[in-house]
């Protein structure tokens, strides 16, 4: 199950509340956060248990009617994403999960948000809109590269500039995308969800593991050289004593 990062519609939060009667797996009830989102395209072929991305966060539909779907939000989801800031009336990006036969016009988006950043600037560039996202978690910067993929609030985008040291990156929105997603509606300082390209994350992990392996080999080699040097020195000193 994946998404494409091509937002299908802009939905609206109907309600966002903490409830005391959320049913658990064992039949007991507990506290939990529940959100209802109004949508149209997201409900096509929907069923209880299906996955729908809201602002790029993969969520499970627990119930729905002809106008909206309900989702339970786990504490991890609230900690990692900007969903914790939502309230009734807020617009959200909506994308149902891809079918096996669907065209992927973006990139493979898992819906597993890595963290959030904030909008630092928005500037017009011809008919496009250049946006800079700052305050990006430092551990993500190795996976964010110029001309690479990234999902921002679930929107598949191409990175146009990046500054790893300052923890920011930029992208551009063409006119069509500006009207199809919620990012242009946001103000400076507002949070956006960030999901780095999964292939970039795997590549970064592989390189780091390889570097650690090489560093360990170099350390062992240095230790071996040091031991060998000590043995040679001891041998030389012993030989001098015998000559005396």
């Amino acid at each position: 199950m994946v998404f494409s990062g091509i937002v299908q519609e802009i939905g609206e939060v109907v309600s966002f509340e903490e409830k005391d009667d959320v049913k658990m797996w064992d039949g007991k009830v507990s506290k939990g956060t529940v959100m209802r989102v109004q949508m149209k395209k997201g409900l096509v072929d929907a069923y209880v248990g299906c996955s729908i991305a809201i602002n790029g966060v993969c969520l499970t539909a627990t119930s729905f009617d002809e106008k909206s779907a309900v989702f339970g939000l786990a504490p991890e989801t609230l900690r990692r994403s900007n969903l914790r800031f939502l309230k009734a009336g807020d617009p959200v990006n909506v994308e149902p999960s891809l079918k096996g036969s669907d065209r992927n016009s973006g990139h493979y988006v898992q819906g597993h948000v890595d963290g959030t950043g904030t909008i630092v600037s928005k500037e017009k560039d011809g008919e496009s809109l250049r946006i800079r996202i700052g305050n990006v978690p430092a551990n993500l910067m190795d996976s964010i590269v110029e001309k690479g993929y990234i999902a921002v609030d679930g929107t598949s985008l191409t990175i146009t500039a990046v500054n790893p040291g300052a923890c920011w990156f930029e992208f551009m929105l063409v006119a069509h995308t500006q009207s199809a997603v919620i990012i242009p509606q946001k103000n400076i300082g507002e949070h956006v969800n960030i999901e780095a390209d999964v292939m970039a994350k795997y590549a970064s992990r592989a390189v780091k593991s390889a570097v650690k392996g090489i560093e360990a080999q170099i350390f062992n080699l240095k230790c071996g050289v040091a031991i060998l040097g000590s043995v040679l020195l001891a041998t030389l000193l012993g030989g001098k004593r015998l000559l005396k």
Side-chain angles (χ1 to χ4, degrees):
M1 180 278 303
V2 293
F3 303 90
S4 68
I6 304 301
V7 174
Q8 295 300 301
E9 65 177 317
I10 295 178
E12 182 178 311
V13 177
V14 176
S15 61
F16 188 98
E17 56 189 342
E18 185 173 298
K19 293 190 173 182
D20 296 322
D21 58 351
V22 178
K23 289 186 178 180
M24 304 294 287
W25 63 273
D26 58 359
K28 297 179 180 179
V29 295
S30 181
K31 288 184 178 181
T33 303
V34 178
M35 176 175 65
R36 180 182 291 273
V37 178
Q38 181 177 314
M39 61 185 74
K40 292 181 180 179
K41 293 182 179 179
L43 296 176
V44 176
D45 295 329
Y47 54 89
V48 173
C50 72
S51 296
I52 301 175
I54 303 298
N55 281 359
V57 181
C58 177
L59 299 175
T60 300
T62 57
S63 67
F64 57 90
D65 54 28
E66 68 279 3
K67 293 183 178 180
S68 62
V70 176
F71 309 93
L73 306 180
E76 170 70 2
T77 299
L78 296 173
R79 285 191 294 265
R80 288 266 189 167
S81 74
N82 63 10
L83 299 189
R84 64 186 183 276
F85 300 115
L86 293 176
K87 60 184 182 304
D90 284 346
V92 291
N93 288 334
V94 177
E95 183 193 355
S97 57
L98 288 176
K99 296 178 181 178
S101 59
D102 286 345
R103 172 186 294 178
N104 189 338
S105 296
H107 72 283
Y108 284 103
V109 178
Q110 294 179 295
H112 302 163
V113 169
D114 295 301
T116 61
T118 56
I119 297 176
V120 175
S121 63
K122 297 192 295 183
E123 298 179 2
K124 289 185 178 180
D125 190 349
E127 56 86 31
S128 297
L129 185 64
R130 182 187 302 277
I131 298 179
R132 177 177 293 185
I133 304 299
N135 300 308
V136 179
N139 65 313
L140 291 182
M141 295 311 299
D142 285 343
S143 302
I144 299 176
V145 296
E146 188 173 344
K147 300 307 177 184
Y149 289 122
I150 196 162
V152 178
D153 275 346
T155 305
S156 176
L157 298 164
T158 301
I159 300 161
T160 57
V162 60
N163 187 323
C167 293
W168 61 256
F169 66 89
E170 293 181 349
F171 56 85
M172 299 189 77
L173 300 177
V174 298
H176 170 77
T177 307
Q178 291 172 38
S179 62
V181 301
I182 66 171
I183 299 172
Q185 302 177 29
K186 292 192 168 185
N187 299 317
I188 302 299
E190 286 196 63
H191 291 79
V192 294
N193 290 330
I194 299 171
E195 181 188 330
D197 179 27
V198 66
M199 296 305 294
K201 287 190 282 189
Y202 280 128
S204 177
R205 173 67 65 83
V207 170
K208 288 178 180 178
S209 296
V211 169
K212 285 183 179 180
I214 293 171
E215 288 176 342
Q217 290 179 20
I218 292 174
F219 176 77
N220 291 334
L221 180 61
K222 287 181 177 179
C223 289
V225 170
I227 293 171
L228 179 60
S230 298
V231 171
L232 289 173
L233 179 59
T235 301
L236 288 173
L237 291 175
K240 289 181 179 180
R241 291 194 187 96
L242 289 173
L243 289 174
K244 290 181 180 180

